[in-house]
């Protein structure tokens, strides 16, 4: 059994089992019957074929920030050793293994004056991030990470390896559904010609007026400026951090940000010209593993009062620009104006007074209901996904993720 696998195969009680099933998220962990520490794509194929032969469900983990449904049985494939990155500077593409983190792609692309459309946190797994869409630092300029994918290498529920390109139905189905259709072993995607950013943050005391000023400011911006507002409760007061990434001349960035500086008392100002390799400093996210719950909703409009007193960390992402352009993937709600993310230590709810258009699944920490999953997609896309699920994964082998029904 599993005799072709090169990487270790671990069972509960084995040395290394606990370490391998652990991730950045500490609230929940997978607890499978078997962990396959994949060393290459052949190991992934062998693991899925084994699961198919024995009717076992399959979970996948890269860097472990995005756990939704913890596996209590079956096979967990860990992909951290699939860590090769190849940059093709002529085609301006990167090909990466399933376990590569954004930091590795950013560093490999930079010598060619190129950058990936990566997110705020460079330790995230680039493949899982992209399979959930990937809403990044420069997303108003360049769209979702999923919009840039040119080739997917994956293993389907029956253990068959496939290579998918734009135009294949399964290619689109893989992008936005977080692994509901197969285990991706490698991705190829386009890079963008960005060497540096004018970016960083402005920190203010939080208030309803400040939120209103931020929202009004976003309506004045070109697509080259992407920003977010985080409301952060601290023991003595609530803080508001505006994060900015502008892929253009610094003087123009300064000019665009100037009105925002008048929005309140600036407690800290880290705006500067930076090489893209330092873009992880913009959001200053916590880098130690911890427990969290939360989710994200797309909105057409956002009344400031609805979030002004939230007890949780709340983040508003300004959408529009290139995010509104359709692409060969399942990302819904492209006409939304904002995305609201809530990150909580435990139970949380979408604040009252909002009219969510639907969910953004990459920010789903913990299981989503069937209605919440459906709400993430355009209705016609969702019908397509249900049909494809019935054809390609009728036994719901990939059930520890976005729950696409098969009937
Ligand atoms: C601090 C922080 C900041 C974040 N910032 C952003 C952001 O700016 N934009 C954004 O869009 N998202 C963001 N996210 C969400 C993040 O993109 C997802 O949680 C993503 O899944 C994290 O990657 P990971 O390698 O840690 O995932 P993991 O937890 O390892 O995997 C998450 C899920 O992806 C699926 N999966 C993993 N590997 C594969 C594979 N090879 N094939 C098929 N399915 C697979 C599985 O369902 C798995 O449960 C952030 C998350 C955190 C914690």
């Amino acid at each position: 059994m599993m005799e072709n696998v090169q990487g270790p195969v671990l069972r509960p009680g084995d040395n290394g089992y606990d370490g391998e099933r652990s991730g950045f998220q500490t609230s929940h962990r997978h607890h499978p019957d078997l962990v396959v520490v994949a060393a290459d794509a052949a190991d992934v194929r062998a693991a899925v074929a084994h699961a198919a032969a024995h009717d076992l469900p399959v979970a996948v983990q890269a860097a472990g920030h995005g756990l939704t449904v913890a596996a209590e049985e079956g096979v967990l494939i860990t992909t951290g050793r699939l860590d090769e990155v190849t940059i093709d500077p002529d085609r301006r593409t990167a090909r990466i293994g399933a376990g590569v983190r954004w930091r590795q792609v950013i560093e490999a692309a930079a010598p060619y004056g190129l950058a990936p459309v990566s997110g705020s946190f460079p330790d995230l797994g680039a493949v899982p991030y992209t399979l959930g869409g990937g809403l990044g630092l420069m997303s108003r300029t360049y769209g979702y990470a999923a919009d840039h994918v040119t080739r997917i290498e994956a293993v389907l529920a029956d253990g068959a390896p496939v290579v998918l390109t734009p135009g294949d139905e399964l290619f689109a189905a893989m992008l936005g559904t977080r692994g509901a259709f197969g285990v991706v072993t490698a991705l190829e995607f386009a890079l963008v010609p960005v060497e540096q950013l004018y970016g960083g943050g402005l920190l203010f005391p939080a208030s309803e007026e400040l939120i209103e000023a931020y929202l009004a400011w976003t309506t004045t911006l070109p697509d080259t400026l992407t920003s977010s507002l985080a409301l952060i409760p601290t023991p003595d007061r609530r803080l508001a951090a505006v994060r900015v990434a502008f892929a253009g001349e610094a003087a123009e960035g300064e000019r665009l940000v100037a009105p925002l500086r008048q929005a309140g008392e600036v407690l800290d100002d880290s705006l500067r010209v930076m090489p893209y390799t330092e873009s992880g400093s913009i959001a200053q996210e916590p880098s130690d593993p911890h427990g969290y719950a939360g989710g994200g909703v797309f909105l057409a409009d956002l009344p400031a009062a609805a979030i002004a007193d939230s007890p949780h960390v709340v983040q508003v992402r300004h959408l529009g620009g290139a995010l509104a352009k359709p692409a060969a993937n399942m990302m819904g709600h492209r006409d939304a104006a904002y995305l609201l993310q809530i990150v909580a230590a435990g139970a949380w709810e979408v604040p009252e007074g909002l009219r969510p258009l639907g969910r953004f699944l990459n920010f789903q920490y913990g299981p989503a209901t069937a209605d919440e999953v459906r709400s993430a997609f355009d209705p016609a896309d969702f019908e397509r996904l249900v049909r494809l699920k019935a054809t390609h994964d009728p036994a719901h082998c990939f059930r520890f993720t976005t729950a696409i029904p098969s009937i």
Side-chain angles (χ1 to χ4, degrees):
M1 216 194 302
M2 307 284 282
E3 62 276 6
N4 296 325
V5 171
Q6 294 176 44
V9 175
L10 305 166
R11 292 177 174 76
D14 284 352
N15 234 346
Y17 173 89
D18 279 340
E20 198 60 31
R21 73 193 174 98
S22 303
F24 186 83
Q25 165 67 279
T26 57
S27 294
H28 316 281
R29 279 195 288 182
H30 291 298
H31 196 275
D33 299 322
L34 215 58
V35 178
V36 175
V37 185
D40 55 24
D43 283 356
V44 175
R45 285 200 292 278
V48 181
H50 170 85
H54 296 84
D55 204 14
L56 301 172
V58 170
V60 196
Q61 182 160 283
H65 297 78
L67 186 68
T68 50
V69 184
E72 291 297 336
E73 55 174 333
V75 179
L76 169 65
I77 302 171
T78 58
T79 60
R81 277 108 180 135
L82 276 70
D83 63 353
E84 70 291 354
V85 180
T86 313
I87 306 294
D88 183 335
D90 297 326
R91 293 176 57 232
R92 291 185 172 181
T93 56
R95 180 184 182 280
I96 63 166
V100 168
R101 298 181 190 234
W102 275 128
R103 187 185 304 286
Q104 296 167 261
V105 191
I106 292 168
E107 279 166 13
Y112 304 102
L114 299 170
V117 183
S118 50
S120 54
F121 192 39
D123 282 350
L124 298 177
V127 166
Y129 172 96
T130 304
L131 296 180
L135 183 64
L137 286 170
M138 304 185 287
S139 52
R140 280 173 40 81
T141 315
Y142 293 111
Y144 287 104
D147 300 348
H148 294 262
V149 176
T150 48
R151 177 184 157 105
I152 301 173
E153 297 169 30
V155 178
L156 303 184
D158 59 1
V162 285
V163 174
L164 304 166
T165 50
D168 297 334
E169 251 192 330
L170 267 182
F171 176 90
M174 291 266 182
L175 297 169
T177 53
R178 307 196 72 195
F181 289 91
V183 184
V184 170
T185 52
L187 276 188
E188 183 192 79
F189 49 83
L191 299 166
V192 295
V194 173
E195 288 180 68
Q196 60 180 39
L197 292 174
Y198 172 75
L202 291 176
L203 190 68
F204 302 93
S207 67
E208 197 174 319
E209 294 70 36
L210 190 279
I211 300 168
E212 271 163 5
Y214 169 75
L215 295 172
W217 176 68
T218 60
T219 63
T220 66
L221 298 172
D223 298 353
T224 40
L225 197 150
T226 302
S227 71
S228 64
L229 167 72
L231 302 175
I232 307 159
T234 69
D236 50 338
R237 60 177 166 175
R238 286 164 57 70
L239 298 172
V242 179
R243 283 117 183 206
V244 171
F246 176 65
E249 289 299 318
E252 177 63 358
E254 278 280 359
R255 193 189 65 75
L256 290 166
V257 172
L260 189 65
R261 291 181 192 279
Q262 311 307 316
E265 181 196 354
V266 178
L267 303 173
D268 188 55
D269 180 345
S270 62
L271 283 161
R272 64 189 170 100
V273 177
M274 64 177 74
Y276 195 76
T277 47
E278 291 175 20
S279 59
S281 68
I282 293 175
Q284 297 176 5
E285 281 158 321
S287 55
D288 291 331
H290 59 281
Y292 44 95
V297 288
F298 290 103
L299 298 166
D301 60 276
L302 174 53
I307 57 169
D309 299 318
S310 170
H312 308 302
V313 175
V314 164
Q315 190 171 186
V316 179
R317 304 263 187 138
H318 179 210
L319 308 180
L323 290 165
K325 293 186 194 145
N329 56 55
M330 290 294 155
M331 295 314 296
H333 307 293
R334 285 183 176 271
D335 52 352
Y338 300 103
L339 186 112
L340 181 72
Q341 180 189 15
I342 298 123
V343 182
W348 64 279
E349 285 178 354
V350 175
E352 279 178 24
L354 298 180
R355 288 170 299 168
L357 301 168
R359 289 278 167 142
F360 176 59
L361 296 175
N362 235 7
F363 286 156
Q364 186 69 35
Y365 306 122
T369 66
D371 282 347
E372 287 164 355
V373 169
R374 181 187 296 112
S375 78
F377 304 101
D378 173 87
D381 283 345
F382 188 71
E383 265 181 38
R384 214 167 295 141
L385 290 174
V386 172
R387 183 171 48 74
L388 287 167
K389 189 76 176 173
T391 309
H392 294 285
D393 185 17
H396 293 246
C397 167
F398 305 118
R399 71 184 68 150
F400 303 119
T401 181
T402 306
I404 304 291
S406 55
I407 44 164

